[in-house]
Amino acid sequence: MCGIVGYVGEQPALDVVLEGLRRLEYRGYDSAGVAVLDPSGGGALTVVRRAGKLANLEAALAGRDISGTLGIGHTRWATHGAPTDRNAHPHVDCTGAIAIVHNGTIENFAELREGLEMRGHELTSDTDTEAVAHLIEERYAGDLPAAVRSVCAELDGSFVLVVTHREQPDLVVGARRNLPLVVGIGDGENFLASDVTAFIAHTREARALDQDQVVELRRSGVRVTDLDGAEVEGETFHVDWDTAAAEKAGYDYFMLKEIQEQPAAVSETIGGRIGADGRLRLDELSISDEDVRGFEKVFIVACGSSYHSGLVGKYAIERWCRLSVEVEMGSEFRYRDPVLDRHTLVIAVSQSGETADTLEAVRHARQQRAWVMAITNTVGSSIARESDAVFYTRGGPEIAVASTKAVMTQLSAVYLVGLYLAQVRGTRDSDEVRSHFHDLATIPALITEVLSRMDGTRKLARDLSGEERVLFLGRHIGYPMALEGALKLKELAYVSAEGMPAGEIKHGPIALIDKGTPVVVLATRHALQPKLVTNIQEIRARGARTIVVATDGDESVTPYADHLIRLPDTKSLLSPMLTLVPLQVFAAEFAMARGLDVDQPRNLAKSVTVE
Ligand code: F6R
């Protein structure tokens, strides 16, 4: 969590840093702050920080003349210490010469802090970060990178640190362990940030730092070392989307824009996957056919909405490949010591590629010699780099905290991976694989059609927006989407929402249903749909207000639906890609009708890099 920016160049640093923070605010919005170094006149290091959203910091900066072409900035998701002004970053040392921003948690900070206080340092915040500023103060003898390296070696936990020193007008130093830090390589200027969105307005050439590396950023160039100070080579990559992709483009919220971008995002993800020989190609995976044939078991690990995509993947892989699949939350996986070996495929699904629980699951799986494949949207992310193979969804940047188009592209990805495994293992012949792929290729147009029908769903969401509890029911392939619909509503509208398998409700949850309780039932055509019609009757008999999502032309549900949301027909296994859309629209509209900010729901941050 937390967004970090560093800049050195010729432009006014405050503008560059604030622009970067605006793009990173989705990572945390408990407080924000900047430090700008002006080398003229002996060097002034100005630090301004404010609790609350970035707008509070911008208001505090308004009218102030802060010049300088070197700066760092931070937008915070609070861990140690309440979200107050004094806990906001940057933090400074006793002399005020060093300013530092930090993402992560320093686990041995209490002991470090105690030592510092005994040695006479005065710490003024409750954060773990401030201790690092004072430690650098102790180690600094004119060589800032050396001081940072020496301090990093003593820190336990996860961190990205970006540091500036008043005596170093052409130097920003960054360091990383377990969390993302990307260098933006410009011409006469260079950038550091938690992700590339912060600097793509200036450069699209980037380099991701590896574990325990320290970067020295100067106007003239970038040098990366390990913690011993040895220079290390690394690869740069080109970001193939531009600033327009990270703008709201006339929408009130990123989330609304990202929902509309879904047809294009799916087209990008599935495009170019059929080779001249008519076979499905996922070249980037570079797994040998022999390895694929050797898999005896699959685990899918993920968190939150990505976990729901994984649940859909289970249905697809089991159906097409006849391989047993378990889907597990990243936060649970490694703690129960699952049975893994070289014949186990572990698929880690993560939009950000940085979710701490999923990353730890990847590490655990690799230690146990399992074969790890990442499905992620983020090039160069930790999960991508630490996996044996990567399937990149090509969804473009997702800025809204609630995941929409990323989930949609993850669904495309799990279907493609399922078909690919089936093709290589020979459990489906090539004609059948091609036919399923062609069905998948029709989905972008069908999503466009669903999007064009959403007025009724929006109105319904506004009408129901005073409700405090909504249930979501599904069966079979509809069940993961019931979970997703409930999660979206919880996180955006702060109402109690539960997703359940419809067949289970008579074992307890049906007691929740009272006169007028809104229940969304995902009843598109599939094998269990007739049983679902019975479930709808059961809840309606107990007073539920039924909102039924059904396939065009299916009249079996009509008598039992208080509200109908119609979707075009598609193959039942692919139906989650259509069902998802009204659930997203419903949750967003419901929350907006309650006056809530759907891009930045309370207490959340997009990239959950703490356990
Ligand atoms: C919900 C949401 C989260 C993420 C989860 C995993 O809308 O966005 O539940 O899906 O935090 O994040 P990634 O996919 O980045 O690992």
Side-chain angles (χ1 to χ4, degrees):
M1 346 271 257
C2 301
I4 285 190
V5 185
Y7 173 74
V8 57
E10 300 297 336
Q11 304 186 57
L14 184 62
D15 296 347
V16 177
V17 169
L18 282 176
E19 180 193 359
L21 292 181
R22 256 173 242 128
R23 294 191 194 280
L24 293 184
E25 203 181 9
Y26 70 87
R27 298 180 67 88
Y29 27 87
D30 287 333
S31 66
V34 290
V36 176
L37 182 60
D38 183 0
S40 60
L45 184 62
T46 309
V47 177
V48 183
R49 50 200 195 148
R50 284 294 180 277
K53 292 192 176 184
L54 187 59
N56 293 1
L57 174 69
E58 289 174 316
L61 289 166
R64 289 187 60 172
D65 179 20
I66 301 176
S67 52
T69 55
L70 182 153
I72 62 177
H74 188 265
T75 176
R76 177 171 188 240
W77 188 83
T79 53
H80 290 82
T84 56
D85 283 356
R86 75 189 188 97
N87 288 333
H89 300 214
H91 289 282
V92 296
D93 67 321
C94 296
T95 65
I98 295 166
I100 175 171
V101 291
H102 166 221
N103 174 22
T105 42
I106 310 291
E107 283 159 14
N108 55 338
F109 96 100
E111 163 197 330
L112 296 172
R113 187 179 174 114
E114 196 182 310
L116 284 161
E117 283 171 344
M118 276 167 50
R119 297 193 294 277
H121 291 265
E122 203 176 314
L123 278 74
T124 57
S125 77
D126 309 315
T127 65
D128 49 349
T129 308
E130 195 188 354
V132 182
H134 291 266
L135 285 173
I136 295 173
E137 173 192 352
E138 286 188 343
R139 307 289 160 81
Y140 178 76
D143 184 344
L144 187 61
V148 171
R149 283 195 292 267
S150 143
V151 170
C152 285
E154 258 183 58
L155 303 179
D156 293 337
S158 55
F159 53 80
V160 164
L161 300 168
V162 173
V163 189
T164 176
H165 193 296
R166 200 164 50 202
E167 290 171 2
Q168 306 282 340
D170 184 34
L171 178 63
V172 175
V173 178
R176 87 167 276 265
R177 178 180 299 158
N178 288 340
L179 296 170
L181 183 60
V182 193
V183 182
I185 300 159
D187 184 10
E189 58 181 358
N190 289 297
F191 306 79
L192 279 177
S194 306
D195 85 43
V196 296
T197 47
F199 54 67
I200 45 163
H202 305 280
T203 177
R204 286 157 72 183
E205 298 309 310
R207 170 174 173 182
L209 287 199
D210 255 318
Q211 195 68 335
D212 280 328
Q213 292 186 340
V214 173
V215 56
E216 301 161 29
L217 203 71
R218 297 183 174 81
R219 283 175 187 82
S220 56
V222 170
R223 179 170 182 264
V224 180
T225 66
D226 62 19
L227 287 191
D228 295 325
E231 187 158 354
V232 285
E233 297 298 317
E235 284 183 10
T236 57
F237 60 92
H238 181 77
V239 182
D240 54 11
W241 41 268
D242 60 17
T243 39
E247 305 286 355
K248 283 190 197 154
Y251 289 89
D252 288 341
Y253 291 102
F254 280 108
M255 183 179 175
L256 303 182
K257 172 177 168 248
E258 287 159 8
I259 289 172
Q260 297 297 327
E261 285 172 343
Q262 293 183 112
V266 173
S267 296
E268 283 291 325
T269 301
I270 66 176
R273 303 291 185 184
I274 294 284
D277 56 359
R279 285 172 67 81
L280 182 64
R281 304 177 61 127
L282 302 187
D283 291 346
E284 72 238 64
L285 285 185
S286 56
I287 319 180
S288 73
D289 288 0
E290 197 187 336
D291 276 333
V292 171
R293 288 194 201 101
F295 294 143
E296 290 165 3
K297 165 106 194 162
V298 179
F299 283 92
I300 304 181
V301 285
C303 299
S305 293
S306 300
Y307 170 79
H308 302 151
S309 304
L311 288 173
V312 172
K314 174 183 168 77
Y315 285 89
I317 295 172
E318 287 189 340
R319 163 90 65 90
W320 290 331
C321 311
R322 304 311 300 154
L323 259 173
S324 143
V325 183
E326 279 188 52
V327 190
E328 190 126 352
M329 289 165 188
S331 52
E332 296 290 332
F333 181 71
R334 66 190 185 284
Y335 295 113
R336 69 172 181 80
D337 199 11
V339 181
L340 305 167
D341 60 24
R342 197 60 201 160
H343 298 291
T344 314
L345 170 64
V346 174
I347 304 177
V349 186
S350 173
Q351 186 284 130
S352 61
E354 300 294 346
T355 297
D357 287 317
T358 310
L359 177 59
E360 289 304 328
V362 165
R363 289 177 177 162
H364 179 81
R366 289 203 68 192
Q367 274 159 14
Q368 307 292 310
R369 300 187 59 247
W371 221 96
V372 179
M373 177 195 299
I375 294 179
T376 180
N377 197 33
T378 311
V379 177
S381 57
S382 302
I383 290 174
R385 278 180 296 131
E386 296 196 27
S387 298
D388 294 297
V390 190
F391 180 105
Y392 283 115
T393 52
R394 302 172 191 153
E398 188 178 69
I399 311 285
V401 164
S403 192
T404 54
K405 66 172 174 170
V407 178
M408 192 64 94
T409 56
Q410 288 167 354
L411 293 178
S412 319
V414 293
Y415 291 127
L416 285 174
V417 168
L419 286 176
Y420 180 74
L421 297 179
Q423 173 177 280
V424 177
R425 294 169 67 88
T427 47
R428 300 284 145 165
D429 65 32
S430 32
D431 285 348
E432 186 177 346
V433 169
R434 237 186 345 266
S435 152
H436 289 309
F437 179 82
H438 287 310
D439 291 334
L440 189 56
T442 64
I443 293 289
L446 295 177
I447 298 173
T448 304
E449 165 69 20
V450 178
L451 286 167
S452 74
R453 299 181 182 188
M454 286 295 96
D455 285 350
T457 303
R458 286 192 196 94
K459 178 174 181 319
L460 178 65
R462 288 193 293 272
D463 291 348
L464 291 177
S465 63
E467 299 286 340
E468 291 304 324
R469 193 169 45 145
V470 182
L471 304 180
F472 293 77
L473 302 182
R475 288 192 83 147
H476 191 260
I477 195 82
Y479 167 54
M481 291 302 101
L483 294 175
E484 177 63 5
L487 176 58
K488 282 286 157 297
L489 195 62
K490 276 186 254 216
E491 70 178 322
L492 295 175
Y494 321 147
V495 301
S496 182
E498 251 192 274
M500 284 175 274
E504 270 293 300
I505 55 161
K506 53 189 171 298
H507 301 291
I510 201 164
L512 288 169
I513 291 172
D514 201 354
K515 191 163 168 27
T517 307
V519 184
V520 179
V521 190
L522 307 180
T524 51
R525 232 190 299 264
H526 59 71
L528 290 189
Q529 198 260 6
K531 294 185 192 298
L532 200 48
V533 175
T534 310
N535 299 138
I536 303 173
Q537 294 177 54
E538 288 161 3
I539 55 169
R540 202 150 183 269
R542 279 140 186 105
R545 181 170 174 183
T546 55
I547 299 135
V548 181
V549 180
T551 307
D552 280 346
D554 174 7
E555 295 306 332
S556 65
V557 290
T558 315
Y560 317 110
D562 293 308
H563 308 273
L564 262 173
I565 298 174
R566 289 289 189 184
L567 301 181
D569 203 0
T570 185
K571 289 280 159 33
S572 65
L573 198 56
L574 302 182
S575 60
M577 297 184 80
L578 302 189
T579 315
L580 189 53
V581 177
L583 297 175
Q584 298 165 337
V585 170
F586 181 80
E589 195 71 25
F590 193 109
M592 289 188 298
R594 289 164 83 100
L596 298 171
D597 176 344
V598 295
D599 278 348
Q600 296 180 345
R602 72 182 178 201
N603 303 338
L604 291 173
K606 185 146 186 80
S607 183
V608 185
T609 51
V610 291
E611 265 193 60

